[in-house]
Amino acid sequence: MAEIAQVLVDVPTMQTNRPYSYRIPAAWQAQVQPGMRVVVPFGRGKRRVQGFVLSCGDQPEFDGALKEIDAVVDLAPVLNTEMLALTKWLAASTFSFQITCAQTMLPAVMRAKYVKLLRPTTQTPPAVRTTWFGDQPEVPFDQVATTSQAVSQLLRLQAAGEVDVYYQVKNQARRKTQFGVKARLDASAITATEGELRHGAKQQLALLKGLATLNGETVTQADFCQRFDVNPATIRTGEQKGWLQRVQLEVYRDPYATSEIKATQALTLNAEQQVAVDQITQAVTQDATTTFLLEGVTGSGKTEVYLQSMAAALAQGKTALMLVPEISLTPQMVQRVRGRFGKAVAVLHSGLSNGEKYDEWRRIQRGEAQVVVGARSAVFAPLKDIGLIVMDEEHESTYKQDDAPRYHARQVALWRSQYHHCPVVLGSATPSLETRARAEKGVYQRLVLAERVNQRPLPTVSIIDMKKEMQQHAESNFSAPLLVALQDRLDRHEQSVLMLNRRGFSSFVLCRDCGFVLKCPNCDISLTLHMDSHTMKCHYCGHEEPIPRICPNCHGHQIRYYGTGTEKVETELKELLPDANIIRMDNDTTRKKGAHAKLLAKFGSGEANILIGTQMIAKGLDFPNVTLVGVLNADTGLGLPDFRASERTFQLLTQVSGRAGRATKPGHVYIQTFNPDHYAIRFAQHHDYEGFFKYEMRMRHQGDYPPYYFTVQITASDLDEAVAAKRMYQLLQWLRPRLASQTIILGPTPKPIARVNRRYYYQIVIKYKREPNLAATLTTLLHETQAQQRQGLQIGIDVEPLHFM
DNA sequence: AGCACGCCGACT
DNA sequence: GTCGGCGTGCTC
């Protein structure tokens, strides 16, 4: 019998990032299992915290006196063996606390809330009682202990035993219940009762007729009322007369309850798609842990490949997990998956309420859903026996979490694939360089969909040189050719999509004569404009120079920072094309829940003819009447001080181009840019991913960047800028001798947004090829900087960061 | 994180 | 003298 539990406590610090031993009270010894939540006393006071049981045994791993588990929260484990192992791996690989990882993997409502309460004791004098409690049986400590005098007074009272502090550990998870109806009469009794009814008691008759059809089953009251056309008051009458029983039924909050599922059939595959499905299905059957890169141009039918491969996994009695970027988790997308797999689908995304997420999670946990579709955190869906994991748009940076634990869903997916012995499909029209390079080396198996379904041609892409436009016309966001094209679409009653690239907004300088962007002499990375210090800075090596007044390249005077907003663009377009009906989609207009879908529906219905938006319109839109796509400013992303700037620009342009000409009418794309010859733009123009990949790989090779090097970013922040800087230089000194001589350390440099929330940020970037002791070194670093954390210094470690700012 | 213990300045 | 300020170490 297990008497001792190893418990992971809910105290996210470096020192408590290990299990603590607790005695299991005899009454619960048969019941407590690893993965359950418990409440344990922790610390010298009366503090109680939630914890996760990691293992049970009969030997403590601690010599001292053990405390007892206070309460068991769950009847069944909420983290299974796989998930427990995953928390351990995730904590180690992202340098975060195991408890934080466990919390991240579970719905938010399962995180405990703590309330410190003040209670009277048997020895509380009446005067004390009225002063502190009034007529309340207990009061929240924070509510009464507002001043330092009050706190010390309370401490004295507590020491004298006149008041008691008590920690309440609250479980926020609430199950939604509804009334259910259950018959208490058998068939013959119902018939007899019917005979006794007063003539004309139609409602009661209907109720009895309804009860007769239940056959002992319980149905929800709402369902019953609707089916038999009785009102709730009649049900209550029935209850009083003893005909039926009302019971509490647990129901799921179904976010899609109102929408009918329209079943869809598997589409016929073309030869390439068939090869892909066959290969993936074979891997599923053989329990192979193959990672596939499904590389397919926009419109090549990747989704159909996913769906049919997932169907194959289900046919073998396994489950399937499909990850998509948050932004493409549109109602259309969900409908498509539910149309194929019906009620077996659980959907997880940020638009759901916490209660809805919890219910979807439980449906998965109980095995009631075999297919999960969701954004980043859905990679932790508690599916059993996974047969296939799909990650659509694998290059998307939203798969990487920005705060602790800083995990990449792709890494978690690969880990789970090893655990479940199942394949992973990474799909994209523009794979990340890392993924594509791994496919090149044979680590991943590459599957290519080069053809668009129905052989529809890719849209023609025209590049418009805004330098020339600027010379000919007054400053405008719209070039002459784009305006002509827009007018033409209005005349033909076709639709247009305009994208304003917000990335890198106003943060760099550009010459309007020659398109020159100022770069760092050491790093070949664009310099960032710092208005606070009036300098141009390199965020990699710290190089700094004054803001140029004339262009260093062409000596022109038209050098300035570049940027504009969607609202301004909309206003200008309304003046230029007064007949146009415009919808604007940006953070302002889509903030409200459901606004995003509403605007899209409005555009889809043809109510408007032009859609203006930021990056959010680049993905997933499929409107057959859109024949023109305009990118107003393709450059902005290129100006960012990030070695992935070209890659992101290429991906964005390729993606947004895919929005044009999706049906029978041919599409045309106009890209406005000050850098018409930039390779990212040129390759995007020709839909040439392979060309871009080869070129960009050379650039990465020259600059010693991923995928040739691995990267780790260390940030330090402090309220005092000098302290942050000083600690970073000390850290550099400490780090250098511990790392291989070939390893490159960049920095310390201040972060581009040097001050956030009154804290100053500095960063160091480590670039390495082989560094077997790096993890151990960084863990030591975290332990050693622990003491300084008290003085306000915060250290963060980000493995393979996606954003260097 | 949160609590107790422990060591220095301004007060009943 | 002590009350209470916060720096330091520990929590099974």
Side-chain angles (χ1 to χ4, degrees):
Chain A
M1 194 65 86
E3 291 161 26
I4 310 292
Q6 298 301 322
V7 177
L8 190 63
V9 293
D10 183 11
V11 183
T13 64
M14 207 63 216
Q15 300 104 305
T16 52
N17 190 27
R18 61 197 163 85
Y20 285 83
S21 303
Y22 284 88
R23 241 174 317 114
I24 308 172
W28 295 332
Q29 284 179 5
Q31 178 192 335
V32 173
Q33 288 171 49
M36 283 182 177
R37 289 173 299 164
V38 289
V39 175
V40 292
F42 193 68
R44 293 191 234 200
K46 295 189 172 185
R47 191 180 175 195
R48 302 192 317 145
V49 295
Q50 191 175 78
F52 289 86
V53 176
L54 292 183
S55 61
C56 299
D58 39 24
Q59 284 303 314
E61 296 190 1
F62 178 71
D63 297 339
L66 299 191
K67 291 184 182 175
E68 269 191 355
I69 288 176
D70 228 65
V72 182
V73 180
D74 300 302
L75 294 172
V78 291
L79 292 174
N80 58 28
T81 315
E82 180 199 3
M83 292 303 170
L84 286 174
L86 183 53
T87 57
K88 209 171 169 184
W89 171 81
L90 195 63
S93 60
T94 62
F95 301 96
S96 51
F97 312 119
Q98 205 180 341
I99 185 70
T100 315
C101 295
Q103 316 259 43
T104 305
M105 289 166 41
L106 293 170
V109 291
M110 293 174 79
R111 194 167 298 190
K113 277 252 162 72
Y114 302 101
V115 200
K116 190 177 172 184
L117 295 170
L118 198 64
R119 287 173 163 177
T121 65
T122 47
Q123 296 155 51
T124 309
V128 172
R129 201 187 175 101
T130 28
T131 324
W132 296 101
F133 300 94
D135 53 356
Q136 300 298 115
E138 57 187 23
V139 287
F141 188 86
D142 294 342
Q143 200 177 301
V144 288
T146 44
T147 60
S148 58
Q149 294 101 299
V151 173
S152 53
Q153 216 171 332
L154 284 171
L155 282 173
R156 264 195 306 275
L157 287 171
Q158 194 199 345
E162 298 189 357
V163 293
D164 193 20
V165 277
Y166 173 78
Y167 284 84
Q168 195 178 7
V169 182
K170 276 192 177 171
N171 188 357
Q172 304 172 71
R174 290 282 169 274
R175 287 160 194 201
K176 191 178 168 184
T177 58
Q178 258 181 25
F179 276 115
V181 175
K182 192 178 193 309
R184 288 180 73 177
L185 306 175
D186 59 19
S188 57
I190 290 174
T191 320
T193 316
E194 275 176 18
E196 293 163 15
L197 279 182
R198 176 177 58 83
H199 183 72
K202 282 206 302 213
Q203 277 277 316
Q204 295 189 27
L205 184 64
L207 172 65
L208 288 168
K209 292 252 184 262
L211 289 175
T213 65
L214 291 186
N215 290 326
E217 272 179 51
T218 308
V219 297
T220 66
Q221 178 171 313
D223 194 24
F224 188 92
C225 290
Q226 208 209 341
R227 251 163 65 193
F228 306 109
D229 198 22
V230 293
N231 56 50
T234 316
I235 301 244
R236 244 164 286 134
T237 310
E239 187 184 21
Q240 279 158 20
K241 295 198 174 185
W243 299 347
L244 60 91
Q245 197 181 351
R246 285 209 304 170
V247 291
Q248 289 283 326
L249 272 186
E250 186 185 329
V251 291
Y252 293 128
R253 282 153 278 216
D254 184 354
Y256 297 98
T258 50
S259 57
E260 274 291 302
I261 305 177
K262 277 197 215 95
T264 56
Q265 291 302 308
L267 306 175
T268 312
L269 301 176
N270 66 27
E272 288 176 335
Q273 287 176 310
Q274 190 63 57
V275 169
V277 170
D278 289 347
Q279 292 273 311
I280 298 165
T281 306
Q282 194 186 9
V284 171
T285 311
Q286 294 172 351
D287 297 331
T289 57
T290 317
T291 303
F292 293 97
L293 166 58
L294 180 65
E295 198 181 315
V297 294
T298 51
S300 61
K302 287 189 292 290
T303 309
E304 193 57 34
V305 173
Y306 303 149
L307 293 177
Q308 295 201 18
S309 304
M310 285 159 73
L314 293 194
Q316 294 177 25
K318 298 173 184 170
T319 62
L321 174 58
M322 180 171 172
L323 303 168
V324 294
E326 185 72 54
I327 202 149
S328 36
L329 206 52
T330 54
Q332 295 100 301
M333 169 82 210
V334 172
Q335 281 308 315
R336 191 155 173 204
V337 181
R338 295 183 87 223
R340 200 66 61 86
F341 303 112
K343 287 208 164 93
V345 180
V347 183
L348 294 167
H349 65 90
S350 66
L352 303 182
S353 71
N354 283 342
E356 287 169 339
K357 279 183 204 156
Y358 176 52
D359 287 358
E360 288 293 87
W361 182 88
R362 276 185 304 144
R363 284 183 59 221
I364 303 163
Q365 167 92 348
R366 293 176 178 182
E368 293 169 28
Q370 294 84 42
V371 177
V372 173
V373 185
R376 181 179 62 228
S377 65
V379 77
F380 299 116
L383 284 170
K384 289 165 201 96
D385 196 13
I386 300 178
L388 178 66
I389 304 176
V390 171
M391 187 174 209
D392 189 29
E393 310 279 2
E394 70 83 35
H395 62 275
E396 273 299 314
S397 60
T398 54
Y399 283 124
K400 177 83 194 267
Q401 179 150 302
D402 281 335
D403 37 64
R406 298 188 168 86
Y407 69 92
H408 196 297
R410 194 199 290 129
Q411 298 311 114
V412 179
L414 293 174
W415 187 93
R416 294 195 78 182
S417 128
Q418 292 296 319
Y419 189 92
H420 288 270
H421 301 284
C422 74
V424 175
V425 176
L426 304 175
S428 179
T430 54
S432 63
L433 277 255
E434 285 85 346
T435 298
R436 179 62 183 78
R438 264 166 217 160
E440 192 81 11
K441 285 174 77 179
V443 182
Y444 299 161
Q445 189 180 331
R446 190 159 164 246
L447 301 168
V448 180
L449 306 181
E451 263 175 44
R452 292 186 115 189
V453 288
N454 307 340
Q455 274 92 47
R456 210 159 293 133
L458 285 159
T460 313
V461 179
S462 303
I463 292 175
I464 298 161
D465 185 351
M466 290 304 275
K467 290 174 300 190
K468 285 187 192 152
E469 283 294 317
M470 287 289 162
Q471 282 157 14
Q472 285 160 20
H473 311 279
E475 275 191 29
S476 165
N477 287 303
F478 298 91
S479 62
L482 179 58
L483 269 182
V484 170
L486 282 167
Q487 184 61 57
D488 179 54
R489 295 313 185 282
L490 288 180
D491 297 342
R492 296 202 321 234
H493 302 290
E494 291 172 2
Q495 290 175 301
S496 307
V497 170
L498 293 175
M499 188 186 72
L500 183 72
N501 189 358
R502 284 290 307 227
R503 199 167 264 154
F505 187 68
S506 288
S507 65
F508 72 109
V509 298
L510 172 125
C511 172
R512 290 204 165 185
D513 286 329
C514 70
F516 179 80
V517 174
L518 195 61
K519 290 192 167 173
C520 174
N522 311 321
C523 305
D524 202 30
I525 291 276
S526 309
L527 293 180
T528 301
L529 177 71
H530 280 245
M531 282 314 281
D532 48 358
S533 58
H534 295 283
T535 53
M536 304 297 301
K537 284 184 190 167
C538 171
H539 297 132
Y540 284 87
C541 69
H543 171 84
E544 200 170 334
E545 58 182 86
I547 302 168
R549 293 178 165 275
I550 53 167
C551 173
N553 186 43
C554 72
H555 307 292
H557 290 268
Q558 290 279 73
I559 194 156
R560 62 193 58 177
Y561 49 85
Y562 183 65
T564 186
T566 40
E567 212 174 330
K568 212 174 119 193
V569 168
E570 187 188 13
T571 314
E572 191 189 341
L573 191 61
K574 273 181 179 159
E575 279 169 27
L576 293 167
L577 302 172
D579 301 336
N581 206 335
I582 303 166
I583 290 180
R584 174 164 62 94
M585 262 179 84
D586 55 22
N587 282 331
D588 285 342
T589 59
T590 57
R591 201 170 299 148
K592 268 190 286 173
K593 191 177 172 175
H596 192 260
K598 214 177 270 176
L599 288 175
L600 286 181
K602 203 170 151 191
F603 185 65
S605 72
E607 232 179 281
N609 28 40
I610 298 177
L611 177 68
I612 299 180
T614 52
Q615 268 84 334
M616 65 177 74
I617 60 166
K619 267 173 262 301
L621 304 193
D622 192 354
F623 296 115
N625 204 29
V626 172
T627 58
L628 172 68
V629 165
V631 180
L632 299 181
N633 54 344
D635 312 278
T636 49
L638 292 174
L640 286 179
D642 195 318
F643 67 84
R644 288 194 178 88
S646 300
E647 183 181 356
R648 293 219 181 87
T649 301
F650 175 82
Q651 286 164 345
L652 185 65
L653 294 179
T654 304
Q655 227 152 42
V656 76
S657 300
R659 304 305 115 217
R662 292 186 72 88
T664 45
K665 297 169 194 164
H668 201 127
V669 180
Y670 287 84
I671 296 176
Q672 299 187 157
T673 174
F674 287 95
N675 292 286
D677 298 318
H678 192 284
Y679 66 95
I681 293 172
R682 284 291 164 195
F683 284 121
Q685 177 186 23
H686 298 113
H687 310 288
D688 185 5
Y689 175 79
E690 280 306 300
F692 175 77
F693 170 68
K694 294 210 170 67
Y695 192 98
E696 182 67 9
M697 283 296 273
R698 274 207 304 281
M699 302 293 283
R700 300 287 180 90
H701 189 62
Q702 280 167 21
D704 293 339
Y705 287 121
Y708 293 97
Y709 275 77
F710 298 110
T711 54
V712 172
Q713 182 186 49
I714 305 174
T715 45
S717 73
D718 196 281
L719 292 169
D720 184 343
E721 181 167 18
V723 170
K726 193 177 156 203
R727 290 284 175 259
M728 272 314 235
Y729 279 101
Q730 287 173 346
L731 200 150
L732 176 70
Q733 297 308 315
W734 184 87
L735 215 49
R736 186 68 273 183
R738 277 158 233 263
L739 299 177
S741 56
Q742 303 96 300
T743 295
I744 301 164
I745 307 181
L746 301 173
T749 53
K751 295 205 105 191
I753 310 162
R755 196 161 82 133
V756 179
N757 287 331
R758 295 170 56 226
R759 300 188 73 86
Y760 289 89
Y761 285 83
Y762 274 76
Q763 69 178 27
I764 279 179
V765 174
I766 304 171
K767 297 198 291 187
Y768 65 98
K769 284 201 169 184
R770 234 186 84 76
E771 204 62 81
N773 297 319
L774 185 65
T777 307
L778 293 178
T779 307
T780 312
L781 181 137
L782 281 180
H783 277 109
E784 295 203 351
T785 51
Q786 177 57 46
Q788 295 167 17
Q789 190 124 21
R790 284 295 247 286
Q791 282 118 50
L793 180 87
Q794 284 173 17
I795 301 283
I797 296 180
D798 193 346
V799 179
E800 295 301 325
L802 287 185
H803 300 287
F804 284 79
M805 36 190 314

